[in-house]
Amino acid sequence: MRTTQTMLETKLAEQDWMSEVRAMVGREYGRVYAWDEVNAPMIRQWCEIMGVDNPMYTDATYAATTEYGGIVAPPAMLQAWCLEGLHANNYPPGSTTENPYEVLRLMEGQGYQSVVAVNSDLSFERYVKVGEKLYYTTRLDAVGEQKTTALGTGYFVTLIMSFFSEKPAGNEKVGELLFRVFKFSPANAQSATEAPVADAAPAAPKIKRPKPGMSDDTRFFWEGAAAGKLLIQRCKCCGTLRHPPGPVCTKCHSFEWDTVESAGKGSIYSFVVMHYPEVPPFDYPNPVGLIELDEGVRLVAGLVGVKRNEIGIGQRVQVEFQSFDDGELTLPLFRPVAP
């Protein structure tokens, strides 16, 4: 009888907080403005990075002959115009201070501490032109019913960002971004080792690091990491090294391969620093590097022992292996070393 009563109380408590969550659905958050007008230098740099060579975006002479009469921005660049910049919450004056992700914080307080992006769909009304000034608003569109997936149990949360161009005669919608995440309690969460006290609140689950997907092509890499070795796949026919691992050589198409042990030395080819969403059990800010090994291949790995403002392209790094979750998982991480 006591067990049934406790389950009912838990269900009622869930209904209370979910009522608060669902009351937020449909809420429209204020404007977030762009720092700069749509401009040719940013378009050119974006195109260079993305490998886009459409002359409508970069060749003023050619663009003048099109129906648009000048340079237009790539549609996929829409979100870039209103980004906050390098530092968190670095938005132009007049931008809202409301947090459209507050619903995720509320769910985290109920034990749904992990998040994974499900889909991000951009749609466009028209091209935007040089000189236009954009802003966007955010609407909490939906919070789905509770779902259980391979990742865990949680809720799908959908937000919609609508982008507008400021016009003297009235603002005009130019595009929309649908962003959906799954906010969940991980399926592999472990309870505390101590037995719970009767009628006491359950201990917070211990969140484990997600394990990498493993196949016949990648098993050697993770087994090598567990043994403290950084192994690289090598074609037995032409000797080409390759990473990520695969079943066939991309150079000579041979299926025959073995491995060589890397010295674990290289340099930072590129990097990102993850700030949000904060996914347990990772520490934040969370720097992740694209490492170019001295052997000539690149791999993605976490960076340790370095602050955000100390990371630099070309910086020399050395692998070190760290174990997590009582030795269940070993990862090759990279630490900067003196030149």
Side-chain angles (χ1 to χ4, degrees):
M1 181 68 179
R2 177 61 181 171
T3 301
T4 303
Q5 182 180 356
T6 301
M7 292 174 62
L8 179 60
E9 291 172 350
T10 301
K11 184 65 175 178
L12 291 174
E14 179 180 352
Q15 291 175 350
D16 287 342
W17 73 263
M18 273 307 298
S19 296
E20 184 179 353
V21 167
R22 299 203 182 282
M24 299 168 66
V25 173
R27 178 175 177 181
E28 190 90 22
Y29 293 83
R31 297 181 180 184
V32 174
Y33 291 98
W35 276 107
D36 303 293
E37 295 179 345
V38 176
N39 62 84
M42 285 182 64
I43 294 173
R44 176 179 53 78
Q45 292 172 15
W46 188 93
C47 288
E48 287 180 358
I49 292 171
M50 301 302 293
V52 175
D53 58 4
N54 190 327
M56 286 175 52
Y57 306 147
T58 56
D59 187 333
T61 302
Y62 174 85
T65 67
T66 68
E67 61 183 295
Y68 308 106
I71 287 177
V72 294
M77 195 181 175
L78 182 62
Q79 189 182 11
W81 297 111
C82 296
L83 294 178
E84 58 189 309
L86 179 61
H87 303 290
N89 299 316
N90 182 30
Y91 292 109
S95 296
T96 181
T97 58
E98 298 175 307
N99 181 9
Y101 298 101
E102 60 181 334
V103 64
L104 302 185
R105 295 295 191 190
L106 183 59
M107 297 173 79
E108 287 170 3
Q110 301 299 323
Y112 299 93
Q113 297 180 338
S114 296
V115 64
V116 61
V118 179
N119 59 300
S120 178
D121 299 329
L122 270 171
S123 58
F124 314 103
E125 302 292 330
R126 64 167 176 83
Y127 282 107
V128 295
K129 301 179 180 180
V130 170
E132 292 191 80
K133 194 74 175 290
L134 306 185
Y135 71 87
Y136 73 88
T137 61
T138 302
R139 182 178 80 254
L140 176 58
D141 187 65
V143 176
E145 297 299 321
Q146 188 180 82
K147 300 288 185 181
T148 299
T149 73
L151 290 173
T153 299
Y155 301 84
F156 288 93
V157 179
T158 305
L159 298 119
I160 293 180
M161 282 73 89
S162 298
F163 290 80
F164 297 87
S165 175
E166 294 184 275
K167 297 284 188 178
N171 299 326
E172 180 183 0
K173 186 174 180 179
V174 295
E176 184 176 275
L177 170 65
L178 180 149
F179 182 58
R180 182 176 292 121
V181 299
F182 183 52
K183 197 67 175 162
F184 65 100
S185 176
N188 66 349
Q190 301 296 310
S191 301
T193 56
E194 297 83 1
V197 178
D199 298 331
K206 179 183 178 183
I207 308 298
K208 291 187 175 183
R209 289 199 173 216
K211 292 184 179 179
M214 191 178 297
S215 68
D216 290 340
D217 296 321
T218 64
R219 185 172 289 106
F220 78 89
F221 181 84
W222 299 112
E223 290 178 348
K229 299 179 180 180
L230 187 61
L231 300 180
I232 304 299
Q233 195 175 43
R234 178 178 61 183
C235 176
K236 293 179 69 173
C237 291
C238 68
T240 298
L241 300 179
R242 61 181 185 263
H243 191 88
V248 62
C249 177
T250 57
K251 186 174 181 179
C252 73
H253 308 297
S254 170
F255 286 87
E256 300 296 322
W257 60 270
D258 59 9
T259 63
V260 294
E261 183 177 355
S262 168
K265 297 180 180 180
S267 58
I268 297 176
Y269 184 85
S270 183
F271 69 93
V272 295
V273 180
M274 302 295 297
H275 292 273
Y276 190 83
E278 295 184 358
V279 180
F282 299 98
D283 297 324
Y284 289 86
N286 181 16
V288 180
L290 177 59
I291 310 302
E292 185 165 67
L293 297 174
D294 289 348
E295 288 82 4
V297 298
R298 299 172 187 160
L299 75 163
V300 176
L303 299 173
V304 294
V306 63
K307 296 180 180 179
R308 161 65 187 87
N309 59 359
E310 296 174 346
I311 305 174
I313 302 298
Q315 190 171 20
R316 294 292 295 173
V317 290
Q318 171 71 53
V319 72
E320 67 175 50
F321 296 92
Q322 293 189 12
S323 295
F324 302 90
D325 303 324
D326 300 322
E328 290 184 15
L329 177 64
T330 301
L331 297 175
L333 307 176
F334 284 80
R335 182 180 297 272
V337 296

